[in-house]
Amino acid sequence: MLITKRLKITLIIILALIITGISIIIVGYKLFLAPAMLIPEGEFVHIYIRTGWNFNETMQMLEEEKLLRHPKAFKKLADFKKYNQRIRPGRYKVTHGMSNKDLVALLRSGNQDPVNVVFNNIRTPQQLAGRIAKQLEADSVSLVSAFLNSSNHEKYGIPEHQLAMMFIPNTYEFFWNTTAEGFMERMHKEYEAFWNSHRLERLKAINFSKAAAVTLASIIEMETRMHDEKTKIAGVYMNRLRIGMRLQADPTLVFAHGDFTMRRVLNRHKQIDSPYNTYRYAGLPPGPISYPSISSIDAVLNYETHDYLYFAARDDFSGYHSFARTYQQHLVNARKYHRALNERNIR
């Protein structure tokens, strides 16, 4: 009888231990292994961990974003995995089905989700810095500082007034926490890759330097947004350069005045004494007046051969231009456009 009681007690204890163990396993599963992200099914979010953050700052961000179903469990697991001793900055993709264990593993690995950095329609280093700062961790101040740093100009062999040639507008994949210096280094590599053997052959064929090609392309970039007429406009400027005629490009006057809100170039604007005033000085200006697109650069390298010396915007405001061989015909085209401007009260 005594044995039977002891057996019962033992069985009860064993059963209690089993139940406790199962409960611990269930709780542990729910806290550490089960989906723990407050993210709708099929969706994801990006979280950003800034350079220099400690674990408390990272934890505060996760709680403010309301991503964690069990914040305390995540913190305990992070402590156990020693994530708090090595915070890796970056941009991370967090999905619906992730557990606390998955999230800790992701953040410890530093396996970032890259950013597609896009920039185009840029005219100044400051504008470029502002555009990049909206897509990467580096702020505009650090980016401008890197762009204007003379040691970087020496490092990459490109003077400040020609710096635009190093930044080819396109879409590039970056890690979000790339520094300003890292951005410049990557852009220089892309610049070198852009000037492949084919483009270098074209440079040689037209007897241009890289700087000259990008400078002329920067003018074409500002003259037209119509890709299918860029080679024709390039041909006009090449004809002018060949015969020693001044480029007389209105966009260079806008750049010289530094007023990018200017909608109409008038005769008084042509009086400015600037090396970028192509009405006053022959040849190409000292450097690019914008950050030209690939299509504009390739238009210079593959310019259309013709005998046009002039072009004027069409009066239908389509964005296209009318081309002329003689100044008399050009005046006819230009007057049509100016008349259309006046009718629309564009000053």
Side-chain angles (χ1 to χ4, degrees):
M1 189 73 175
L2 183 61
I3 296 176
T4 303
K5 287 183 178 180
R6 287 179 178 176
L7 181 60
K8 287 182 178 179
I9 293 172
T10 301
L11 290 173
I12 290 172
I13 292 172
I14 292 174
L15 181 61
L17 290 173
I18 291 173
I19 292 173
T20 301
I22 292 173
S23 298
I24 291 173
I25 291 173
I26 292 173
V27 171
Y29 172 77
K30 287 183 177 179
L31 293 180
F32 301 115
L33 300 177
M37 300 297 104
L38 294 172
I39 301 173
E41 185 174 357
E43 296 185 15
F44 66 87
V45 298
H46 283 111
I47 61 174
Y48 297 84
I49 299 177
R50 301 194 70 86
T51 300
W53 270 9
N54 57 33
F55 179 70
N56 289 335
E57 289 168 314
T58 303
M59 192 70 201
Q60 181 180 349
M61 177 272 296
L62 292 171
E63 291 180 330
E64 287 177 351
E65 294 293 332
K66 294 181 170 47
L67 294 175
L68 301 174
R69 193 181 301 277
H70 306 292
K72 291 182 179 179
F74 173 81
K75 188 175 186 303
K76 287 182 180 179
L77 185 59
D79 289 341
F80 177 74
K81 291 287 188 178
K82 298 182 179 180
Y83 168 62
N84 55 354
Q85 297 179 15
R86 190 178 182 185
I87 307 299
R88 294 175 178 266
R91 174 184 188 254
Y92 298 92
K93 182 178 180 180
V94 181
T95 60
H96 160 77
M98 292 179 70
S99 65
N100 283 325
K101 180 175 178 292
D102 294 331
L103 181 58
V104 171
L106 173 65
L107 298 182
R108 287 181 74 239
S109 71
N111 185 21
Q112 297 187 50
D113 194 30
V115 179
N116 284 328
V117 173
V118 182
F119 63 92
N120 49 40
N121 300 324
I122 300 295
R123 286 188 167 183
T124 67
Q126 291 77 12
Q127 189 179 14
L128 176 62
R131 192 76 57 84
I132 300 305
K134 292 179 180 179
Q135 302 175 75
L136 297 179
E137 182 183 20
D139 61 29
S140 59
V141 174
S142 64
L143 286 161
V144 169
S145 178
F147 297 162
L148 303 183
N149 190 327
S150 59
S151 63
N152 281 334
H153 305 155
E154 294 176 6
K155 177 181 178 180
Y156 299 118
I158 301 176
E160 181 181 337
H161 66 278
Q162 294 178 345
L163 190 64
M165 64 187 289
M166 198 176 88
F167 300 93
I168 311 294
N170 210 334
T171 300
Y172 301 97
E173 190 175 88
F174 277 91
F175 286 130
W176 174 75
N177 59 320
T178 299
T179 63
E181 297 291 343
F183 177 74
M184 281 201 73
E185 185 173 345
R186 169 68 182 283
M187 286 295 93
H188 185 256
K189 290 180 180 178
E190 295 291 344
Y191 160 77
E192 291 186 320
F194 173 80
W195 288 105
N196 54 32
S197 58
H198 174 70
R199 288 192 173 97
L200 290 176
E201 288 175 4
R202 291 303 306 156
L203 270 181
K204 186 177 180 180
I206 67 175
N207 196 27
F208 259 33
S209 65
K210 295 176 187 176
V214 174
T215 298
L216 182 53
S218 74
I219 297 174
I220 295 168
E221 184 78 7
M222 294 295 98
E223 290 284 17
T224 183
R225 298 299 184 199
M226 304 301 174
H227 296 300
D228 55 349
E229 72 169 8
K230 285 183 176 181
T231 56
K232 183 175 286 189
I233 291 177
V236 170
Y237 284 129
M238 293 299 284
N239 287 342
R240 291 183 179 184
L241 288 171
R242 188 179 64 256
I243 65 175
M245 178 181 174
R246 293 175 186 174
L247 295 184
Q248 300 178 9
D250 287 357
T252 64
L253 291 180
V254 174
F255 184 86
H257 283 275
D259 181 6
F260 300 126
T261 64
M262 191 184 301
R263 301 181 66 188
R264 188 170 182 178
V265 173
L266 305 174
N267 286 330
R268 59 184 173 85
H269 295 130
K270 301 174 184 178
Q271 305 309 311
I272 187 171
D273 188 8
S274 165
Y276 289 89
N277 182 351
T278 55
Y279 279 86
R280 174 172 287 196
Y281 295 99
L284 292 167
I289 63 167
S290 70
Y291 291 57
S293 61
I294 292 174
S295 64
S296 292
I297 298 173
D298 284 342
V300 173
L301 299 179
N302 302 279
Y303 69 89
E304 185 177 321
T305 301
H306 53 62
D307 56 358
Y308 293 119
L309 285 174
Y310 305 93
F311 62 94
R314 292 183 185 174
D315 59 352
D316 60 0
F317 294 95
S318 64
Y320 284 98
H321 294 78
S322 298
F323 293 81
R325 295 176 176 82
T326 67
Y327 185 62
Q328 289 71 25
Q329 182 58 51
H330 171 65
L331 285 178
V332 172
N333 296 332
R335 284 167 182 160
K336 288 181 180 179
Y337 180 63
H338 291 152
R339 190 180 305 116
L341 289 175
N342 292 334
E343 289 173 354
R344 298 194 180 198
N345 200 31
I346 298 176
R347 304 297 179 186

